[in-house]
């Protein structure tokens, strides 16, 4: 009986150790992303500075969208192909009148990855009409979250226009 209790205690200790290790890893990644995310208070990143040969020219489009999404992906990444791509299609279907999505192949765009502090794919960067970074979503982001963020940017732009 005591041998069974000892084995159970070992299993519990291993489970606690794994839990603590995973929790510490998540906290580390979260802190790293927080420290390296573009900070609006320290000069916003502008889409105008992105090399036009790397993507469509969002800012100089005839009718500039109110929201631009830079979707960093990798063709070899299953999450990008199977999960994020359909979500981006749904976003265009729902808000195509105010949003433009530019897909960026992350492995071939290291300078853009560095500029927006992209450390994982898929990553979506939402920019307002002036090209300022509104938010960066690391990893898969569902349609509901993206639509909420788009609506926030549009509402903010509407409030700024009303003040002008």
């Amino acid at each position: 009986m005591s041998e069974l209790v000892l084995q159970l205690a070992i299993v519990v200790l291993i489970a606690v150790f794994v839990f603590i290790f995973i929790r510490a890893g998540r906290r580390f990644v979260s802190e790293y992303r927080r420290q390296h995310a573009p900070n609006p208070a320290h000069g916003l990143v502008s889409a105008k500075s992105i090399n036009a040969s790397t993507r469509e020219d969002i800012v100089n489009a005839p009718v500039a969208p109110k929201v631009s999404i830079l979707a960093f992906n990798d063709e070899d990444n299953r999450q990008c192909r199977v999960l994020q791509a359909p979500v981006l299609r749904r976003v265009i279907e729902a808000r195509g009148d105010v949003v433009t999505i530019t897909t960026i192949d992350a492995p071939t765009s290291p300078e853009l990855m560095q500029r927006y502090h992209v450390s994982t794919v898929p990553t979506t960067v939402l920019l307002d009409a002036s090209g300022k970074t509104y938010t960066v979503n690391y990893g898969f982001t569902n349609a509901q979250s993206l639509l909420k963020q788009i609506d926030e940017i549009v509402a903010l732009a509407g409030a700024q226009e009303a003040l002008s």
Side-chain angles (χ1 to χ4, degrees):
M1 183 70 173
S2 65
E3 187 175 311
L4 181 62
V5 172
L6 180 62
Q7 289 176 347
L8 183 60
I10 290 172
V11 168
V12 168
L13 283 174
I14 290 172
V16 168
F17 175 75
V18 168
F19 174 78
I20 291 170
F21 182 77
I22 290 171
R23 184 94 188 233
R26 286 183 177 173
R27 184 171 292 160
F28 172 80
V29 169
S30 175
E31 182 65 21
Y32 176 84
R33 287 178 176 169
R34 187 187 64 75
Q35 287 177 355
H36 292 88
N39 186 348
H42 293 93
L44 297 168
V45 179
S46 171
K48 294 177 183 177
S49 61
I50 297 174
N51 184 347
S53 65
T54 310
R55 62 163 186 83
E56 296 174 16
D57 194 2
I58 295 171
V59 177
N60 294 326
V63 176
K66 293 187 179 194
V67 181
S68 299
I69 298 177
L70 304 179
F72 289 85
N73 69 22
D74 182 356
E75 290 180 14
D76 297 333
N77 185 298
R78 184 175 187 273
Q79 200 174 32
C80 294
R81 287 188 326 270
V82 175
L83 298 175
Q84 197 68 61
V87 165
L88 294 173
R89 283 192 293 276
R90 281 195 295 269
V91 167
I92 284 292
E93 290 170 4
R95 302 287 191 283
D97 56 331
V98 295
V99 71
T100 297
I101 297 176
T102 302
T103 302
I104 298 170
D105 185 31
T108 62
S109 304
E111 55 285 333
L112 289 176
M113 289 183 66
Q114 184 176 10
R115 172 175 220 94
Y116 291 102
H117 305 285
V118 175
S119 57
T120 185
V121 289
T123 293
T124 50
V125 179
L126 280 80
L127 309 170
D128 65 13
S130 66
K132 295 179 181 174
T133 301
Y134 177 77
T135 190
V136 179
N137 300 303
Y138 297 98
F140 170 75
T141 306
N142 63 39
Q144 182 179 1
S145 295
L146 286 172
L147 292 172
K148 180 181 175 194
Q149 292 167 351
I150 291 166
D151 292 342
E152 289 170 0
I153 295 170
V154 170
L156 185 62
Q160 288 175 349
E161 287 176 11
L163 293 175
S164 297

